[in-house]
């Protein structure tokens, strides 16, 4: 057997459980943490190492093919691939790995990423760099060409930690000063108006500012989507796919106490989490409603028909957020895209059909694929009459819009390697006024 410490052993156990399981990485970790009674610091270490392996899975297996002298016994495969992942990530030196398994050429393993980046076959190269399916590698290469490799490399990096100041309680500058008093160092985000980037590791969720509802953890790109929605002060907003409520809370702060956000979702536990977060944020202007996956009840349709804004933050492949959800890498293929397409078209069409005259609808995903984004919006425009595309500068201003939109100026597309945040798409539509 290979000598691994206790926490390393838990990571290998998660690797084994992941094979053939339909549960997410987070669900698997929660189960194991509860079974083993791991403390928060231990959980953090296991999560980091497990995510590291998920991000490096294909590269680790290829590196062992190169660095091992022969076949590996099945019982040793998990620990060896785990050690390879650590060596590839720079978390473990080849010398330290050799002390655990002497018969593998760990120096050779450590050289593999550089060799892979020189492979002539772009699909093979992207598949290994991103630990993604060959279909996705081919699709990304077709969509963004030479940018596919730096994009995937950025999606391997540890994500920046960003927070959003809760404008119901404070301004960004006030939050920064309060956090500084708690020895939490920040700087303003480059693109999002209410965001702060954390510049040094900190126990954010243990801070008094968090306890008092002064901020929420939220990626900068996600904050930007709420700004694209750009609801009027005192307005009515429908968040059609609210989930645990990150964007609902941002929108609640934007409409203010005199406005209302109606948060819809099909998942009861996520809506319970939204309610809990809303209480901490003092967001009393959020109304939470659970809906069916395939339809809205009459009272929700009536609310939507009066709304100033509807946000459809649709379920998607999650390609643009792989560094936060690395277990999605192996799932994204043509069948998954087709499955999600039916859901996305249904949601967007449902919302567009009831949109009020001069009302605006924002369709958003955390994907980089046109078939989930601009192509899908174009399809919806053929199904619903009287909709027009609104220029992003209308919500973000010309400076930010020019830097973050596509060449046509019709939609937002943030890119991890260009903008330093998750890859998100957002496009704004408006129902034309009756003539």
């Amino acid at each position: 057997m290979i000598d691994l410490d206790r926490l390393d052993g838990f990571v290998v156990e998660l690797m084994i459980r992941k094979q053939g399981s339909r549960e997410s990485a987070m669900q698997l970790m929660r189960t194991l943490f509860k079974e083993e009674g791991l403390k928060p610091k231990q959980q953090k270490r296991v999560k980091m190492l497990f995510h590291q392996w998920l991000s490096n899975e294909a590269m680790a297996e290829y590196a062992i093919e190169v660095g091992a002298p022969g076949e590996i016994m099945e019982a040793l495969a998990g620990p060896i691939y785990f050690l390879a992942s650590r060596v590839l990530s720079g978390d473990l030196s080849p010398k330290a790995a050799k002390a655990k398994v002497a018969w593998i050429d760990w120096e050779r393993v450590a050289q593999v990423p550089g060799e892979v980046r020189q492979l002539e076959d772009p699909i093979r190269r992207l598949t290994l760099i991103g630990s993604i399916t060959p279909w996705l590698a081919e699709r990304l290469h077709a969509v963004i060409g030479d940018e596919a490799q730096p994009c995937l490399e950025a999606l391997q990096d540890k994500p920046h930690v960003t927070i959003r100041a809760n404008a119901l309680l404070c301004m960004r500058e006030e939050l920064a000063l309060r956090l500084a008093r708690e020895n939490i160092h920040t700087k303003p985000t480059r693109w999002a108006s209410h965001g702060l980037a954390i510049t040094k590791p900190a126990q954010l969720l243990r801070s008094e500012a968090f306890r008092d509802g002064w901020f929420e953890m939220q990626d900068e790109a996600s904050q930007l989507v709420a700004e694209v929605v750009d609801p009027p002060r005192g307005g009515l907003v429908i968040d059609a796919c609210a989930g645990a409520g990150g964007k609902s809370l941002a929108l609640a702060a934007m409409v203010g106490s005199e406005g209302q956000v109606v948060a819809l979702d099909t998942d009861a536990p996520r809506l319970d989490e939204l309610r809990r977060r809303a209480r901490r944020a003092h967001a009393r202007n959020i109304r939470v409603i659970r809906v069916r996956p395939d339809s809205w009840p009459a009272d929700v349709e009536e609310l939507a028909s009066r709304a100033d804004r509807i946000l459809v933050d649709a379920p998607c492949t999650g390609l643009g957020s792989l560094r936060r959800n690395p277990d999605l890498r192996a799932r994204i293929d043509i069948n998954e895209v087709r499955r999600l397409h039916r859901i996305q078209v249904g949601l967007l069409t449902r919302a567009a059909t009831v949109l009020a005259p001069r009302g605006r609808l924002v369709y958003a995903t955390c994907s980089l694929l046109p078939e989930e984004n601009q192509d899908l919006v174009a399809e919806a425009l053929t199904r619903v009459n009287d909709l027009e595309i609104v220029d992003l500068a209308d919500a973000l201003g010309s400076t930010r819009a020019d830097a973050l939109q596509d060449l046509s100026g019709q939609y937002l597309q943030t890119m991890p390697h260009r903008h330093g945040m998750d890859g998100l798409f957002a496009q704004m539509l408006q129902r034309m006024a009756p003539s």
Side-chain angles (χ1 to χ4, degrees):
M1 293 298 293
I2 298 172
D3 181 28
L4 298 178
D5 67 28
R6 181 168 174 259
L7 295 184
D8 288 352
F10 290 144
V11 180
V12 174
E13 174 62 25
L14 287 168
M15 291 166 60
I16 294 169
R17 294 185 186 188
K18 184 63 181 165
Q19 302 306 312
S21 173
R22 296 186 64 84
E23 290 190 296
S24 68
M26 185 58 68
Q27 289 170 323
L28 291 170
M29 284 189 287
R30 283 174 179 164
T31 299
L32 184 134
F33 294 162
K34 186 175 181 180
E35 290 173 356
E36 301 295 338
L38 297 190
K39 296 177 181 178
K41 190 173 182 179
Q42 295 172 317
Q43 294 180 19
K44 183 177 180 181
R45 174 68 176 170
V46 170
K47 179 181 178 181
M48 185 273 288
L49 290 172
F50 187 40
H51 275 202
Q52 184 175 279
W53 172 75
L54 289 167
S55 298
N56 282 322
E57 183 177 2
M59 186 81 79
E61 292 181 3
Y62 176 73
I64 293 301
E65 286 179 18
V66 171
E71 292 291 324
I72 298 173
M73 292 174 56
E74 186 175 348
L76 299 180
I80 287 174
Y81 290 142
F82 168 67
L83 292 175
S85 171
R86 291 189 63 189
V87 170
L88 293 170
S89 300
D91 182 59
L92 186 72
S93 70
K95 182 178 180 180
K98 190 172 184 64
K100 296 179 182 292
V101 184
W103 49 272
I104 290 178
D105 186 348
W106 292 107
E107 293 287 352
R108 183 77 176 83
V109 167
Q111 295 170 5
V112 162
E115 297 170 6
V116 166
R117 285 171 173 80
Q118 303 305 315
L119 290 176
E120 290 187 9
D121 181 353
I123 307 309
R124 178 64 168 156
R125 186 171 69 244
L126 297 175
T127 300
L128 291 172
I129 288 173
S131 280
I132 57 176
T133 62
W135 177 86
L136 181 56
E138 189 170 349
R139 191 74 191 100
L140 265 180
H141 187 257
V143 172
I144 57 176
D146 291 341
E147 286 195 83
Q149 183 168 324
C151 179
L152 286 172
E153 289 172 342
L155 288 171
Q156 296 288 93
D157 294 339
K158 187 176 180 181
H160 301 299
V161 179
T162 55
I163 61 177
R164 176 185 53 77
N166 179 6
L168 289 171
L169 301 177
C170 64
M171 301 300 291
R172 174 165 66 175
E173 295 75 16
E174 294 174 298
L175 174 61
L177 289 172
R178 181 172 182 182
L179 289 173
R181 291 195 292 271
E182 295 193 56
N183 202 33
I184 296 174
H185 303 276
T186 66
K187 65 178 181 180
T189 48
R190 181 180 180 185
W191 306 108
S193 303
H194 303 284
L196 290 171
I198 308 303
T199 57
K200 292 183 179 180
Q203 296 290 330
L204 287 168
L205 303 187
R206 296 184 182 181
S207 67
E208 291 184 4
F210 180 75
R211 181 200 65 196
D212 293 344
W214 276 41
F215 71 86
E216 287 289 330
M217 307 288 292
Q218 190 173 21
D219 184 74
E220 187 174 7
S222 178
Q223 296 181 43
L224 276 172
V225 170
E227 293 194 52
V228 171
V229 177
D230 189 32
R233 194 77 177 172
L236 172 62
V237 181
I238 308 294
D239 187 353
C241 308
K247 296 181 184 69
S248 292
L249 291 165
L251 294 167
M254 295 171 78
V255 298
S257 57
E258 62 271 35
Q260 185 179 49
V261 174
V262 179
L264 312 177
D265 206 86
T266 61
D267 189 277
R270 285 186 294 189
L271 291 177
D272 288 341
E273 173 69 4
L274 192 161
R275 292 185 182 95
R276 186 185 65 78
R277 294 173 70 185
R279 286 193 295 271
R280 187 183 64 244
H282 301 268
R284 300 180 182 87
N285 56 349
I286 296 181
R287 179 181 174 186
V288 176
I289 302 176
R290 186 181 181 189
V291 294
R292 292 169 52 89
D294 55 352
S295 63
W296 288 347
D299 59 333
V300 169
E301 287 195 348
E302 194 277 329
L303 281 168
S305 71
R306 295 190 284 110
D308 300 284
R309 303 286 189 270
I310 301 177
L311 170 62
V312 178
D313 183 18
C316 67
T317 57
L319 173 58
S321 61
L322 286 184
R323 55 189 174 181
R324 300 177 193 279
N325 306 288
D327 57 320
L328 296 176
R329 295 172 187 272
R331 301 184 194 177
I332 304 175
D333 59 18
I334 184 61
N335 293 324
E336 179 66 358
V337 171
R338 286 171 177 165
R339 182 188 72 83
L340 289 164
H341 180 270
R342 292 190 292 271
I343 297 170
Q344 293 158 351
V345 168
L347 284 165
L348 181 53
T349 304
R350 188 182 313 155
T353 301
V354 298
L355 186 66
R358 296 191 180 88
R360 290 186 176 180
L361 186 161
V362 172
Y363 173 80
T365 73
C366 51
S367 177
L368 307 175
L369 298 176
E371 49 265 62
E372 297 191 86
N373 296 338
Q374 64 269 30
D375 291 355
L376 187 133
V377 173
E379 180 181 340
L381 287 172
T382 66
R383 298 185 179 205
V384 183
N385 296 325
D386 303 327
L387 291 180
E388 60 183 350
I389 295 172
V390 181
D391 195 309
L392 276 176
D394 216 46
L396 296 180
S398 58
T399 301
R400 284 194 297 172
D402 288 345
L404 298 169
Q405 66 192 2
D406 74 304
L407 293 177
S408 71
Q410 293 190 338
Y411 57 84
L412 173 89
Q413 180 71 78
T414 62
M415 301 292 281
H417 60 296
R418 278 196 243 146
H419 304 120
M421 50 186 159
D422 288 353
L424 266 80
F425 168 91
Q427 190 160 22
M428 182 163 40
L429 308 174
Q430 180 170 278
R431 162 91 2 100
M432 290 180 277
S435 56

